[in-house]
Amino acid sequence: MSRSRSRSPLRAAVAVLAAAAFTLVACGGGGAATDAADAGAPVAGGTLRFAVSSDQGCVDPQQVGSNDSIYSLRQIVDSLTDQDPGTGELRPWLATAWESAPDAKSYTFTLREGVTFSDGTPLDAAAVKANFDRVPQIGARGTLPRGYLAGYSGTTVESPTRFTVSFQQPNVQFLQGTSTHSLGILSPATVAKSDDERCAAVVGSGPFTITSYTKNASLVLAKRTGYAWGSALFAHPGEAYLDSIEFRIVPESGVRTGSLQSDEVDAIGSIGQQDEALLTDAGAQLLARPNPGLAFGIGFNQSKPIVGDPAVRRALSLAIDRRDIVGTVYTSQTKAATSVLSSTTPSYADDSATLGFDLEKAKATLQAAGWVPGPDGIRAKGGQRLTVTVTFAANAGTNKPTLELIQQQVKAAGIDLQIQEVQIAQVSVVQQSGDFTAFWGNLTRADPDILRSSFSTAGANYYRIPDSPLEPLLRAQAGETDPAKRTAIVDQAQKTLVAQGFYVPVVELTTVLGTSAKVHGITFDASSRIQLHDAWKSA
């Protein structure tokens, strides 16, 4: 397999920017996510039973953003590149080589030969073009891949194995985007379907295929016979070890934990703090990796006057005790947010001094802005009560208890925080409609361009952010090919977001899985999503 080559410093830039201090933690059972050392030779066969907390209601990798759904759908598609979780370097997968133009406006790829989708059609340059041409047309659920192809002007097919992707303006982050599930390549027949049809069934080229899907109940995958084009980062070539994988939707944390303890399932996601000791005492393995990208926090719809007031946003941030939240709700591997970006994100900049807990300053900020305490302690201004409704979805078991604790904390400053839950499948629809005041969530990506895709006025702009000094920073980093200069711009963007209160980061997401001691070879990719090609079970 040939190594990638480049006509510019972009390949080095991607590696340097992504080489953050990623860590992998394993406890209980003595295993790690790549724990083949003590387990002996891998054994082929068997079914891995995996319980997750939620289902986004869609099986199209290009239309999902919830980790619970990504765990399964990452297994059915291959990407052009893969990103080394330790170094950030991009490695070959479907593409054996790639070249970037000096101005970062075009990228030329050479594909492997002989790759096919599970419906038998070839995965060639024309298939990649069909995927990229379709991405800008995907509706509300396609925010992530559309962001990676921002400014897309077309793909030119030069041969069945060679093509060039072009953009209207420099797009430095695109190469890293090619390693994500969001730009995983689907069959042309799938691409031609409507968004809703694709949510019901898709065809990819990955090491597993979908055999059945029951919304909010289960998704079953089967090994792809003849698979022979895995990522350069896979531990072994050829087919996956497991015969099948069964993902079960089990919303209750205690039920998932009990199922693992009783051997009803082999692995579980969304570990709650109360489950940590129970699992380790039972000999289970806890596999953990911090997620890069946008930290869990509150984004504000600034078309709503009450949160259009910067004093409200800043006071809310000051009234949140992040350390208390982490210690009360989350597992021991979790960190309080110290910036809009998680600390494992390339170009992360520590802004913890601005994000400290200061209840008295929160009160003073509101008082100075005319928000006066009422008889019950909740502030009001001009007859309007200081009530902020935060919308969330239960795609992580920690979401609701976190918001309930924040509700208690900010009440001390005179803020009435109300919590509103929506179905996971409705998140993008609600955000697009603007029918919310504030939204709790996060986005995982191992590239700082997650800031542009989340907050740029030129993008989806779900938060209805007005034109501000933030916008030129977001645009500038997207076209800056010098790693050091790009990092400096991203630093300014993070500080601007916090200073303006456009987003209130609270806690960094850490992916924590519980697995049986019989499970081996589960690995995390650079975005802390799981890869199961090398996973296997011992007797």
Side-chain angles (χ1 to χ4, degrees):
M1 177 181 295
S2 63
R3 292 296 297 268
S4 62
R5 57 189 184 277
S6 175
R7 297 192 300 265
S8 77
L10 278 177
R11 181 170 172 268
V14 170
V16 170
L17 286 171
F22 294 120
T23 60
L24 176 66
V25 180
C27 52
T34 53
D35 72 328
D38 299 328
V43 176
T47 298
L48 179 71
R49 302 159 299 170
F50 201 125
V52 295
S53 65
S54 64
D55 174 23
Q56 197 168 342
C58 182
V59 297
D60 180 2
Q62 295 180 7
Q63 296 190 77
V64 299
S66 173
N67 285 328
D68 282 346
S69 292
I70 295 168
Y71 290 160
S72 57
L73 301 179
R74 171 74 274 189
Q75 319 310 318
I76 68 172
V77 285
D78 299 315
S79 300
L80 292 177
T81 65
D82 203 357
Q83 187 175 8
D84 189 311
T87 67
E89 180 183 8
L90 294 180
R91 300 291 300 278
W93 195 340
L94 292 175
T96 59
W98 50 91
E99 303 167 353
S100 55
D103 62 2
K105 288 185 178 181
S106 65
Y107 300 83
T108 298
F109 295 85
T110 301
L111 286 175
R112 284 176 181 256
E113 296 182 356
V115 179
T116 61
F117 296 103
S118 59
D119 62 4
T121 57
L123 196 162
D124 55 14
V128 177
K129 173 179 169 59
N131 275 260
F132 289 175
D133 286 352
R134 176 72 169 83
V135 163
Q137 304 166 14
I138 298 176
R141 290 181 293 246
T143 302
L144 292 177
R146 287 203 311 270
Y148 303 157
L149 287 174
Y152 176 72
S153 60
T155 296
T156 303
V157 174
E158 300 164 21
S159 75
T161 58
R162 189 172 172 86
F163 62 93
T164 298
V165 184
S166 299
F167 297 90
Q168 298 166 7
Q169 66 272 336
N171 191 344
V172 174
Q173 56 83 39
F174 167 67
L175 270 182
Q176 192 278 333
T178 65
S179 71
T180 67
H181 74 281
S182 298
L183 290 184
I185 308 302
L186 298 166
S187 74
T190 293
V191 169
K193 294 180 178 180
S194 70
D195 290 359
D196 288 344
E197 288 172 334
R198 288 168 54 161
C199 273
V202 297
V203 172
S205 65
F208 292 91
T209 62
I210 297 175
T211 59
S212 68
Y213 171 57
T214 303
K215 189 178 293 188
N216 293 321
S218 67
L219 187 147
V220 180
L221 308 179
K223 176 169 67 176
R224 170 83 189 277
T225 303
Y227 182 82
W229 41 82
S231 160
L233 295 174
F234 288 179
H236 81 281
E239 300 175 2
Y241 291 128
L242 295 166
D243 286 335
S244 60
I245 310 170
E246 177 187 346
F247 286 89
R248 303 178 185 178
I249 314 304
V250 183
E252 301 84 5
S253 174
V255 176
R256 291 194 303 276
T257 297
S259 297
L260 181 58
Q261 290 173 308
S262 63
D263 202 33
E264 291 180 33
V265 299
D266 306 300
I268 61 174
S270 298
I271 306 299
Q273 185 190 62
Q274 71 279 4
D275 304 319
E276 192 169 3
L278 292 173
L279 290 170
T280 53
D281 289 346
Q285 303 173 102
L286 292 188
L287 312 179
R289 188 175 190 276
N291 286 44
L294 195 66
F296 260 117
I298 301 172
F300 303 97
N301 179 354
Q302 294 187 49
S303 68
K304 305 292 185 181
I306 196 162
V307 291
D309 184 345
V312 171
R313 303 193 303 267
R314 291 168 185 157
L316 184 65
S317 180
L318 289 165
I320 295 174
D321 187 339
R322 293 164 177 81
R323 291 175 181 253
D324 180 43
I325 289 170
V326 170
T328 302
V329 179
Y330 292 87
T331 58
S332 60
Q333 299 91 345
T334 307
K335 296 180 179 180
T338 52
S339 174
V340 175
L341 293 176
S342 294
S343 57
T344 53
T345 315
S347 299
Y348 153 83
D350 188 342
D351 202 14
S352 53
T354 310
L355 292 172
F357 171 57
D358 192 333
L359 181 58
E360 294 308 312
K361 188 174 181 180
K363 293 177 181 179
T365 299
L366 291 171
Q367 192 74 25
W371 293 97
V372 180
D376 61 352
I378 301 301
R379 295 174 181 269
K381 179 180 180 180
Q384 182 182 26
R385 185 177 171 86
L386 185 47
T387 298
V388 177
T389 300
V390 179
T391 303
F392 79 101
N395 57 336
T398 50
N399 285 353
K400 188 174 182 179
T402 298
L403 287 172
E404 289 174 340
L405 184 50
I406 292 175
Q407 184 181 53
Q408 296 174 26
Q409 291 179 347
V410 302
K411 186 176 181 179
I415 301 171
D416 174 29
L417 189 80
Q418 295 296 312
I419 303 170
Q420 180 181 60
E421 183 175 355
V422 297
Q423 296 298 311
I424 299 167
Q426 294 301 308
V427 167
S428 57
V429 176
V430 171
Q431 289 178 322
Q432 190 173 52
S433 71
D435 188 21
F436 69 96
T437 300
F439 215 98
W440 170 265
N442 84 305
L443 279 175
T444 295
R445 191 186 178 190
D447 190 278
D449 192 65
I450 194 71
L451 298 179
R452 181 189 57 82
S453 58
S454 299
F455 301 109
S456 173
T457 59
N461 198 14
Y462 289 147
Y463 299 122
R464 278 70 179 172
I465 295 175
D467 193 24
S468 73
L470 175 66
E471 186 60 29
L473 296 172
L474 298 178
R475 295 184 183 183
Q477 65 81 30
E480 180 53 68
T481 60
D482 183 282
K485 291 180 180 178
R486 189 184 182 208
T487 292
I489 297 170
V490 172
D491 186 348
Q492 293 180 60
Q494 292 170 80
K495 286 180 167 52
T496 300
L497 276 160
V498 172
Q500 296 293 324
F502 289 159
Y503 189 79
V504 173
V506 177
V507 61
E508 295 188 0
L509 173 64
T510 293
T511 295
V512 185
L513 308 177
T515 74
S516 161
K518 296 184 294 184
V519 174
H520 315 281
I522 294 179
T523 57
F524 291 112
D525 67 14
S527 294
S528 298
R529 276 70 182 255
I530 59 173
Q531 182 56 258
L532 299 175
H533 173 268
D534 297 315
W536 58 281
K537 289 173 62 178
S538 56

